[in-house]
Amino acid sequence: MEFEFTLDLEHELRSLTKMSILRESANFRLDSSLVCAIMYQESYKSCKNFIEATFASRYEHGFYEKYLFERPLVGVNPNYNKVSRSTERRSRAMSFGSMQIMLQTAREFGFNHPYGPALCWPTANVHYGCKILKKYLLTYGPVDGIRKYNGSIKNPDTLVYYENIQSHLESGRYLEILDG
């Protein structure tokens, strides 16, 4: 019985993700192929299956130390009565979902759900991923906007990230997100 449930869950998540990609990429005037290529790079190429990629989360200790430790929280969560400040601070150093959105960045872009893992849900993940990507592309241009999405224009590793995105676009590897 559990095996059938997993298949149904994957089908539902895939449908919801595809719908979210098409809606949000049109809403933010982004190429849906670019959105899928970023999702592929961020989660799908390193996860075992669609469900794992959808609910992927990572703690970025270096991000916490550099940007959050003993600093005021930006984009204050109005729901602190549900989440302690220390939990919120640590959670902001995590990236969530198939687009691997840092909670800190999501807060800066208006995400106000009390729990960071809510960013894993496809509708929220794709919405905020597209919102952030569009802002970076407008601010920094196509190459540096994609590099900024990965963290920093100054970090040489983000140039490799950009090249990987281009490779995914050329090869069509990202299509498995839409087609299964």
Side-chain angles (χ1 to χ4, degrees), residues 1-131:
M1 205 59 141
E2 185 177 329
F3 185 70
E4 290 176 3
F5 175 75
T6 302
L7 287 177
D8 289 343
L9 178 60
E10 181 168 341
H11 174 76
E12 293 296 323
L13 285 172
R14 193 176 293 278
S15 295
L16 185 58
T17 300
K18 182 176 182 177
M19 179 191 71
S20 298
I21 291 166
L22 297 175
R23 183 185 62 240
E24 296 300 336
S25 62
N27 182 37
F28 287 102
R29 295 189 173 105
L30 292 167
D31 183 344
S32 60
S33 299
L34 175 60
V35 174
C36 289
I38 287 174
M39 291 171 95
Y40 183 84
Q41 177 66 28
E42 290 289 345
S43 295
Y44 291 94
K45 77 174 200 170
S46 61
C47 291
K48 295 179 189 108
N49 58 54
F50 197 86
I51 295 170
E52 185 179 313
T54 300
F55 295 104
S57 60
R58 291 184 204 115
Y59 178 71
E60 308 283 350
H61 183 73
F63 184 90
Y64 176 80
E65 292 295 322
K66 185 172 183 178
Y67 298 109
L68 298 171
F69 184 70
E70 295 184 355
R71 292 190 179 182
L73 292 174
V74 177
V76 175
N77 180 353
N79 298 298
Y80 276 125
N81 58 336
K82 296 179 182 171
V83 179
S84 73
R85 284 192 177 269
S86 63
T87 298
E88 174 73 10
R89 186 178 300 282
R90 288 278 182 189
S91 294
R92 286 184 182 210
M94 292 186 73
S95 57
F96 294 98
S98 54
M99 294 191 79
Q100 286 296 285
I101 301 167
M102 297 294 294
L103 182 57
Q104 174 64 28
T105 306
R107 291 284 188 237
E108 292 169 7
F109 278 80
F111 179 76
N112 64 5
H113 193 281
Y115 305 109
L119 274 172
C120 289
W121 195 246
T123 51
N125 192 266
V126 176
H127 173 77
Y128 282 98
C130 287
K131 185 176 187 177

